């Protein structure tokens, strides 16, 4: 039997959830156009759609919210957040933003010109969307091991360093206004990036004078994996490892909805003074004054506390352990699960699980729909629906590495009995996998189609 450390907290407030019957779920799904984003939360029993902003805040965070200073400029809340961000991340400047994509939007606005390239180990969908929206070209340079779900490489989130060198040589550093790294690498299974890989990528960017920004959403989980798996770091604290990671970069975008354990919040950090000035001007236009950045003072306080809590190593052992537990149970039921499991979610290789469904008929969507119909479990497709797009140069469809379904684990929210329920629901689907069919799109928007597209069964 797989196990993991018992919850390092007890429950003080409860939120009731209930399960619909199968007939009600069928109607709910049809009304949503077969898009699980269109479901009402009341129609879902276990919601593993995302770990973003869905975690449970601590009593200390709720208490801190009462201290929120709602002054327009110079609020105490901002300075408390600044203390935490400075101490953990160590960049010269930062501006709060209401979430990660707002930070990405500002970064893209101040650095990117149409036609320019932005390489990364793998961009997240909102990062990719923000780059595309400014006429830029996102480029993913993931190591080949990441495409093999059963490969046990300890750092499958790594950047393909030779690929990065070759790419810079091919398009020229002058056409790359910034380079990025996503830690952990959400789009290839929440896989960590090693400190060594960050170090080398940073050196390559530096040699070519390309500013290097870390997409830091899950940096604490990444640092925890580094401590577990990179021998030279075994004796360091997660916080010390995080400092070493950020010391390699010129800045970072952060969604505190992940490793800040808040329901809303984020920031953009950087060292460059002039860039900071431009970011502030942009922030004022889009988010708000630089000491609140689209957030209430109380949100800044909750973030200041949550950033520290996410670095607690007992908590990290439990969080990563809970993800590993669900992964192991699904594996035992015959699901091809990405291994080793990442820090925030279990990823099922739906392409391998449903090989009879073509990539453009969305095996990941088909599996996500079955999880809902079978047990009211909401998970999300991270495959061709979310990421396939036409290449501007060749006009060909570029598919992501894999057709995945992600079961994200909200932080400090569900119990082991909930995880068992999810595993048992999935087990019943495994028994009838051959009967599952694909889907066709009946409506899609120009960008980020997976959020609002509608479908019909084939
Ligand atoms: C969630 C996420 C973002 C965007 O953050 P939001 O707060 O959802 O806007 C960016 N990058 C990664 C890797 C993410 O997981």
């Amino acid at each position: 039997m797989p196990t993991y450390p018992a919850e390092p907290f007890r429950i003080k407030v409860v939120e009731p959830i209930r399960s619909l019957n199968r007939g009600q779920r069928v109607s709910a799904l049809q009304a949503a156009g077969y898009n699980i984003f269109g479901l009402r939360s009341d129609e879902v029993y276990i919601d593993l759609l995302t770990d973003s902003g869905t975690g449970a805040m601590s009593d200390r965070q709720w208490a801190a919210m009462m201290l929120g200073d709602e002054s327009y400029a110079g609020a105490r809340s901002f300075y408390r957040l600044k203390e935490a961000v400075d101490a953990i991340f160590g960049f010269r400047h930062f501006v709060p933003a209401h979430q990660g994509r707002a930070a990405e939007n500002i970064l893209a606005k101040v650095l990117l010109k149409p036609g320019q390239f932005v390489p990364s180990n793998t961009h997240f969908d909102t990062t990719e969307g923000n780059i595309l929206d400014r006429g830029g070209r996102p480029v993913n340079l993931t190591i080949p091991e990441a495409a093999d779900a059963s490969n046990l490489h300890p750092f499958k989130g790594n950047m393909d360093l030779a690929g990065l060198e070759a790419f810079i040589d091919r398009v020229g550093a002058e056409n790359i206004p910034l380079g990025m790294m996503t830690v952990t690498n959400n789009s290839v299974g929440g896989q960590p990036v090693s400190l060594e890989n960050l170090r080398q990528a940073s050196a390559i960017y530096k040699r070519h004078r390309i500013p290097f920004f870390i997409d830091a959403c899950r940096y604490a989980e990444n640092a925890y994996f580094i401590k577990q798996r990179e021998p030279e770091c075994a004796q360091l604290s997660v916080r010390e490892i995080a400092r070493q990671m950020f010391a390699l970069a010129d800045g970072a975008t952060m969604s505190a909805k992940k490793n800040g354990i808040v329901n809303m919040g984020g920031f953009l950090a950087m060292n460059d003074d002039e860039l900071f000035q431009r970011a502030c001007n942009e922030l004022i236009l889009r988010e708000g004054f630089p000491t609140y950045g689209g957030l209430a003072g109380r949100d800044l306080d909750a973030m200041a506390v949550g950033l520290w809590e996410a670095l607690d190593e007992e908590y990290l052992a439990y969080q990563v352990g809970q993800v590993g537990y669900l992964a192991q149970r699904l594996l035992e039921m015959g699901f091809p699960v990405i291994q080793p499991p990442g820090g925030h979610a279990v990823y099922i290789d739906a392409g391998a699980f449903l090989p009879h469904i073509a990539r453009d008929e969305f095996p990941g969507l088909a599996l996500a729909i079955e999880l809902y119909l079978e047990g009211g479990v909401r998970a999300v497709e991270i495959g061709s629906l979310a990421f396939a797009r036409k290449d501007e140069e060749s006009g060909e469809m570029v598919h992501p590495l894999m057709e995945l379904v992600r079961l994200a684990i909200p932080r400090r929210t569900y119990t082991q009995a909930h995880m068992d329920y999810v595993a048992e629901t999935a087990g019943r689907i495994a028994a009838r996998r051959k009967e599952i069919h694909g889907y066709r799109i009946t409506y899609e928007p120009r960008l980020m189609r997976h959020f609002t597209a509608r479908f019909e069964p084939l």
Side-chain angles (χ1 to χ4, degrees):
M1 270 296 276
T3 60
Y4 61 100
E7 285 75 6
F9 53 81
R10 57 182 178 175
I11 296 165
K12 181 144 45 184
V13 177
V14 296
E15 178 185 3
I17 51 175
R18 70 194 174 99
S19 188
L20 303 182
N21 65 37
R22 192 177 172 100
Q24 291 170 317
R25 287 199 290 265
V26 169
S27 323
L29 194 66
Q30 280 169 351
Y34 293 91
N35 188 331
I36 50 95
F37 283 100
L39 293 168
R40 300 168 67 126
S41 66
D42 278 348
E43 294 163 344
V44 175
Y45 180 48
I46 307 289
D47 203 347
L48 308 184
L49 177 65
T50 177
D51 63 316
S52 180
T54 53
M57 291 212 298
S58 68
D59 52 356
R60 291 184 60 242
Q61 284 177 291
W62 283 109
M65 288 184 80
M66 289 302 291
L67 300 177
D69 173 359
E70 306 301 341
S71 302
Y72 191 96
R76 289 187 298 279
S77 302
F78 171 77
Y79 290 100
R80 286 191 284 263
L81 175 62
K82 181 170 165 49
E83 221 176 285
V85 172
D86 288 354
I88 296 169
F89 296 84
F91 295 107
R92 284 164 55 84
H93 308 289
F94 88 101
V95 288
H98 79 273
Q99 61 185 105
R101 70 197 67 182
E104 293 164 357
N105 179 21
I106 289 160
L107 186 65
K109 176 71 200 288
V110 296
L111 280 180
L112 192 62
K113 292 195 186 67
Q116 292 185 320
F117 298 89
V118 184
S120 178
N121 52 345
T122 316
H123 291 288
F124 186 61
D125 60 359
T126 59
T127 324
E128 193 166 280
N130 271 302
I131 293 166
L132 289 168
D133 195 47
R134 303 272 174 201
R137 299 180 196 180
V139 179
N140 295 328
L141 300 163
T142 319
I143 58 168
E145 287 87 342
D148 173 2
S150 60
N151 187 309
L152 289 173
H153 191 294
F155 293 105
K156 282 163 96 170
N158 278 356
M159 171 89 92
D160 171 2
L161 297 164
L164 177 62
E165 289 273 22
F167 177 76
I168 297 172
D169 286 344
R170 182 162 76 78
V171 306
E174 68 281 7
N175 294 312
I176 306 176
L178 77 156
M180 296 189 75
M181 289 277 267
T182 311
V183 302
T184 58
N185 194 339
N186 191 358
S187 307
V188 303
Q191 295 290 321
V193 176
S194 72
L195 188 58
E196 180 56 26
N197 190 258
L198 278 166
R199 223 176 251 143
Q200 295 199 29
S202 164
I204 294 170
Y205 285 138
K206 208 161 257 144
R207 186 148 20 86
H208 293 279
R209 295 180 199 287
I210 298 169
F212 171 31
F213 279 75
I214 293 179
D215 177 339
C217 298
R218 298 184 185 80
Y219 80 95
E221 286 150 24
N222 198 101
Y224 180 78
F225 282 121
I226 287 176
K227 183 180 166 88
Q228 304 295 312
R229 299 179 187 172
E230 215 162 347
E232 63 161 300
C233 298
Q235 304 307 320
L236 300 176
S237 70
V238 166
R239 183 185 168 195
E240 287 165 333
I241 294 168
R243 279 305 291 267
Q244 291 199 23
M245 291 163 61
F246 294 115
L248 296 167
D250 300 298
T253 56
M254 177 72 184
S255 170
K257 299 171 71 172
K258 284 70 174 257
N259 284 178
I261 326 185
V262 289
N263 303 120
M264 193 54 67
F267 59 82
L268 169 63
M270 73 217 65
N271 285 328
D272 189 272
D273 299 340
E274 198 252 342
L275 193 68
F276 174 60
Q277 265 314 317
R278 284 195 285 142
C280 284
N281 295 339
E282 207 47 49
L283 191 85
I284 289 168
L285 196 61
R286 293 169 202 287
E287 289 280 291
F289 191 72
T291 60
Y292 74 86
L295 291 164
R298 55 184 173 271
D299 296 332
L300 304 178
D301 270 305
M303 212 194 317
V305 175
L307 285 169
W308 286 116
E309 291 183 354
L311 283 170
D312 179 323
E313 297 189 20
E314 252 181 81
Y315 151 74
L316 283 166
Y318 146 77
Q319 162 71 19
V320 167
Q322 189 175 43
V323 173
Y325 174 80
L326 180 59
Q328 188 58 35
R329 290 225 46 195
L330 291 173
L331 204 61
E332 285 166 5
M333 287 170 167
F335 280 88
V337 166
I338 291 196
Q339 299 206 73
H344 71 289
V346 177
Y347 292 73
I348 299 172
D349 182 349
F353 182 70
L354 301 170
H356 56 285
I357 301 181
R359 295 193 82 168
D360 54 8
E361 293 174 2
F362 310 120
L365 176 72
L367 177 56
I369 286 174
E370 291 305 317
L371 282 165
Y372 177 70
L373 290 177
E374 187 65 42
V377 175
R378 179 155 65 172
V380 69
E381 193 259 17
I382 302 214
S384 286
L385 175 58
F387 283 104
R389 63 187 160 80
K390 266 212 178 69
D391 182 69
E392 298 249 324
E393 283 175 51
S394 67
E396 275 173 28
M397 279 307 268
V398 185
H399 288 277
L401 285 179
M402 285 183 275
E403 300 296 332
L404 300 174
V405 168
R406 184 185 76 178
L407 293 92
I409 312 296
R411 294 175 181 80
R412 310 188 289 204
T413 301
Y414 290 113
T415 65
Q416 179 167 331
H418 290 128
M419 296 300 114
D420 288 335
Y421 174 89
V422 172
E424 282 147 25
T425 299
R428 292 196 297 276
I429 296 170
R432 55 174 177 79
R433 66 166 90 176
K434 290 205 175 64
E435 297 157 26
I436 299 172
H437 49 72
Y439 286 81
R440 174 173 52 220
I441 293 181
T442 56
Y443 160 76
E444 64 178 309
R446 186 176 70 89
L447 279 176
M448 312 210 48
R449 63 181 180 175
H450 50 298
F451 287 118
T452 54
R454 299 177 75 84
F455 311 92
E456 62 187 20
L458 284 165

